[in-house]
Amino acid sequence: MDFGFSKEDEVFRGEVRAWLAAHVNREADRGDWERTLGKGGWIGLGWAESGYGNRTGSLTEQVVWAEEYARSGAPPRSGHIGENLFAPTLIQHGTEEQKRRFLPPVAAGEELWCQGYSEPGAGSDLAAVRTKAVREGGHHRVTGQKIWTSLAQEADWCFVLARTEEGSRRHHGLSFLLVPMDQPGRIEVRPIRQLTGTSDFNEVFFDGARAEHVVGAEGDGWRVAMSLLGFERGVSTLAQQIGFAEELRGVVEAAVRGGAVRDPLIRDRLVRQWAELRTMRWHALRTLGGADEPAAPSVAKLLWANWHQRLGELAVQVRGAQAAVGPGEWSAEEPYRIDADQHLFLFSRADTIYGGSDQIQRTIIAERVLGLPREPKGVG
C-alpha cells in the first residue's frame, strides 16, 4: 500500500494541533474531557458515512488525529471502547433503532462503555464463556462473572458475550447483549489491584442483570464478537506506537544520563528497539487500508506486545540496581509508589496475555492462515 499524507492532510494536522493546544487539560476529569472531545467534533472520525458521528475523517485524517493526540500528551481516553470497538460493531450489525439510541451519546462523550468478554475460565479461550442469559419477556436476565474488565467502574454500559442457548458449547448459542451498568443489587464491580498499585481492571458480577438489546441475531454473538476484535487493532495501534516512541525516548535518555549507553550490548538493544518500532509502524500502515491479510491483527499483537515487554525490561536494565528503589520516602498515606520506568516494566508483563495471549495468536495464524492441523484437545 502506498500510504502518504497529502497537503490536505497536513492542513488538517495543523487544525488538530491548534485545537489540542487550546483545549488539552492534563488535570481534567476524564468524563469532562470526553464531553469536550465530543463538543469539538473529534469522536467518531472513523464511523465512515454512518451519519451518527461528528465530522467524518478519511483514513489518513484518522491517522493524523491519532498521532497528534498521542503527541499532545492529552489525558488517556475513557471513551476508547465505546468509540473504537462498540460503535463500529453496532454500525455493522445493529438495527437503525439501536444506532439512533446508542451512537449519538458515544459521539457526544456522554455514555461510556466497557467490554464483557473475558471470564475466570475463559480468558484467551473466549469460546468457553459460561455467563448465561435467559429470555424473560422482551429482555434477557444475565447471570455470571466477567474479569479484566477495563473501566467497568466508570462505564454506563457493558456489551456482554453471554450464552443464551441452554446446553450449547463453544462458539454456538452465544449472543451479544447490551447491559446498563446502573443496576444496584444486580451488578457488582470489584476493582483488581495490580502490580503497579493501580486498578485499571475489574471483576464484574451479574446477578439477573437486565439486558434489553441484542446486537445481531440471538445465537449469532460469536460472529459479532469476532468482528469487534478486528476493529480493536485499527488506527489506534498507530497512536499506541507514538506512545511507545515517547517511552523509548525516555529509556534512551536514561541510558545516556546514567552512562549505560557505553555498554555495547545496551546500545545494540536500544537500536534494535528503535528499528523494530519503525517496522511495526510500517506494518500497521501497510495493513490499515483493509488489505486481505487475515493474519494481520494477530501479527500486530505479537509484534507490539513482545516489543513493549522487552522495552520494560530494558528500562530497568539501563538503571541497574537503582531501578529497584522507589521514588521518594515511604509514607503511611502513600505506601506504594513507583516511577515511570518501574510502571512500564511491571505493567508490560501483562502485554503478552491480555487482548489474546501469544499462544492464542500463534494458534490463529497456524490454523486459520497456514492451514495447519488443529491442536488435539488436552494438549499443551
Side-chain angles (χ1 to χ4, degrees):
M1 178 181 179
D2 182 14
F3 192 100
F5 296 106
S6 66
K7 291 181 179 179
E8 291 76 14
D9 292 330
E10 295 305 330
V11 171
F12 179 71
R13 188 185 300 277
E15 179 187 351
V16 170
R17 285 182 177 175
W19 189 89
L20 288 169
H23 291 85
V24 167
N25 176 4
R26 294 174 180 82
E27 305 301 322
D29 173 85
R30 301 215 309 184
D32 290 340
W33 176 239
E34 288 298 318
R35 288 185 285 274
T36 299
L37 290 172
K39 290 177 182 177
W42 299 111
I43 299 177
L45 293 181
W47 296 1
E49 303 299 328
S50 69
Y52 293 101
N54 288 300
R55 67 185 84 193
T56 298
S58 67
L59 186 60
T60 50
E61 287 175 338
Q62 293 170 50
V63 173
V64 167
W65 164 254
E67 290 184 337
E68 294 303 321
Y69 188 92
R71 287 194 181 101
S72 73
R77 292 288 308 280
S78 57
H80 161 72
I81 294 173
E83 178 186 4
N84 298 315
L85 302 185
F86 170 68
T89 303
L90 194 68
I91 290 169
Q92 182 172 333
H93 298 282
T95 65
E96 283 303 315
E97 180 184 0
Q98 289 171 339
K99 294 173 189 178
R100 286 194 299 270
R101 163 58 185 88
F102 292 108
L103 293 179
V106 174
E110 294 174 350
E111 287 187 349
L112 302 179
W113 286 79
C114 61
Q115 179 176 2
Y117 274 21
S118 295
E119 299 180 3
S124 294
D125 185 13
L126 188 58
V129 296
R130 299 177 63 184
T131 294
K132 295 182 179 181
V134 178
R135 180 164 287 282
E136 185 180 280
H139 61 272
H140 287 84
R141 289 292 182 181
V142 182
T143 301
Q145 179 187 359
K146 298 293 180 177
I147 198 168
W148 311 121
T149 309
S150 301
L151 303 175
Q153 69 273 50
E154 301 177 25
D156 302 292
W157 288 83
C158 182
F159 50 88
V160 176
L161 189 63
R163 199 163 293 283
T164 51
E165 182 180 325
E166 185 68 28
S168 62
R169 300 185 67 244
R170 303 301 295 165
H171 57 275
H172 301 288
L174 298 170
S175 295
F176 192 97
L177 307 176
L178 309 184
V179 182
M181 293 294 287
D182 186 15
Q183 299 190 50
R186 297 290 185 179
I187 298 179
E188 180 184 0
V189 177
R190 298 180 189 173
I192 299 173
R193 185 176 175 86
Q194 301 151 211
L195 283 172
T196 56
T198 57
S199 298
D200 301 281
F201 306 112
N202 303 271
E203 293 178 283
V204 182
F205 297 86
F206 300 95
D207 185 10
R210 185 184 180 98
E212 297 184 355
H213 300 272
V214 181
V215 178
E218 185 165 333
D220 196 28
W222 183 256
R223 185 172 67 92
V224 179
M226 290 302 99
S227 69
L228 181 142
L229 292 179
F231 296 125
E232 192 169 10
R233 300 179 180 98
V235 171
S236 60
T237 61
L238 289 163
Q240 177 191 54
Q241 290 166 23
I242 297 295
F244 286 173
E246 288 299 304
E247 290 178 331
L248 175 58
R249 182 180 60 80
V251 174
V252 171
E253 290 177 352
V256 172
R257 187 169 56 249
V261 74
R262 293 192 292 270
D263 184 333
L265 296 179
I266 294 291
R267 289 202 304 272
D268 179 73
R269 288 194 62 183
L270 290 170
V271 171
R272 183 175 294 274
Q273 293 282 158
W274 177 86
E276 289 176 347
L277 184 59
R278 298 297 295 174
T279 300
M280 285 194 291
R281 174 174 172 76
W282 291 117
H283 172 76
L285 291 172
R286 183 176 62 84
T287 59
L288 195 58
D292 185 19
E293 297 188 35
S298 293
V299 170
K301 176 59 167 60
L302 287 169
L303 286 173
W304 75 254
N306 286 273
W307 182 92
H308 199 227
Q309 202 167 82
R310 290 194 299 274
L311 182 67
E313 295 165 356
L314 183 57
V316 297
Q317 183 180 359
V318 299
R319 289 174 54 186
Q322 185 64 29
V325 180
E329 295 293 329
W330 180 92
S331 69
E333 293 76 20
E334 195 174 9
Y336 190 82
R337 296 179 62 197
I338 57 176
D339 60 32
D341 289 336
Q342 293 164 337
H343 184 278
L344 170 60
F345 172 74
L346 292 172
F347 191 87
S348 64
R349 307 319 299 167
D351 286 345
T352 53
I353 301 173
Y354 71 80
S357 69
D358 277 13
Q359 293 85 349
I360 292 296
Q361 302 305 331
R362 292 190 174 101
T363 297
I364 290 172
I365 295 170
E367 295 180 354
R368 301 181 189 176
V369 180
L370 302 179
L372 298 178
R374 290 185 175 274
E375 186 178 75
K377 299 299 182 184
V379 175

